[in-house]
């Protein structure tokens, strides 16, 4: 049975997460508006061509972060503070270990990847 205190605790964690994802979406929309006005159609098209790569980076980071958060929370709930701290440390290490090869791959292979995603001409140069 769910009690009021459980619901309050749940909302304490879920509301900031919902706001974060909402603000990230709003940021993408506003970014598109500013780029569309400043750079024009090619810049806006470049953002749309590159967005799957942005989504990939966000998905990897979110997946690792949420997985580590779950492990840490389970350990903390079981009263094992040391395991909880290890899970947080391991999560940060995994984020770093994932970020470096993704960053290197995107720096080295941005143009071929974006070409495969449909970038051509000015749109490709804007996406890169």
């Amino acid at each position: 049975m769910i009690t009021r205190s459980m619901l309050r605790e749940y909302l304490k964690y879920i509301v900031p997460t919902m706001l974060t994802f909402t603000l990230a979406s709003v940021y993408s929309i506003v970014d598109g508006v500013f780029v569309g006005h400043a750079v024009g159609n090619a810049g806006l098209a470049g953002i749309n061509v590159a967005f799957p790569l942005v989504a990939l980076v966000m998905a990897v980071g979110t997946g690792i972060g949420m997985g580590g958060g779950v492990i840490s929370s389970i350990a903390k709930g079981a009263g094992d503070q040391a395991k909880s701290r290890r899970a947080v440390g391991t999560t940060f290490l995994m984020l770093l270990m994932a970020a470096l090869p993704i960053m290197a791959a995107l720096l080295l292979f941005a143009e071929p990847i974006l070409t495969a995603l449909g970038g051509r001409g000015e749109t490709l140069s804007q996406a890169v």
Side-chain angles (χ1 to χ4, degrees):
M1 179 157 104
I2 298 177
T3 64
R4 279 191 174 273
S5 64
M6 290 169 64
L7 182 61
R8 191 173 303 124
E9 188 72 17
Y10 178 73
L11 290 175
K12 184 172 86 173
Y13 291 104
I14 198 68
V15 169
T17 303
M18 289 170 52
L19 286 173
T20 300
F21 281 104
T22 302
L23 290 176
S25 298
V26 170
Y27 171 79
S28 294
I29 293 167
V30 172
D31 189 40
V33 169
F34 279 105
V35 169
H37 283 290
V39 182
N41 293 338
L44 193 53
I47 286 176
N48 288 318
V49 169
F51 186 76
L53 299 179
V54 174
L56 172 71
V57 171
M58 288 172 38
V60 170
T62 302
I64 293 171
M66 284 186 176
V70 167
I71 293 168
S72 174
S73 295
I74 290 170
K76 196 170 192 173
D80 192 346
Q81 298 299 325
K83 184 176 180 182
S84 176
R85 282 192 300 275
R86 271 196 322 272
V88 170
T90 302
T91 301
F92 282 124
L93 180 63
M94 291 298 295
L95 285 168
L96 183 63
M97 289 174 59
L100 293 176
I102 290 172
M103 181 180 64
L106 291 178
L107 285 173
L108 294 173
F109 304 111
E111 194 165 334
I113 292 170
L114 292 168
T115 300
L117 290 173
R120 305 278 185 276
E122 181 64 21
T123 300
L124 177 62
S125 67
Q126 292 292 330
V128 171

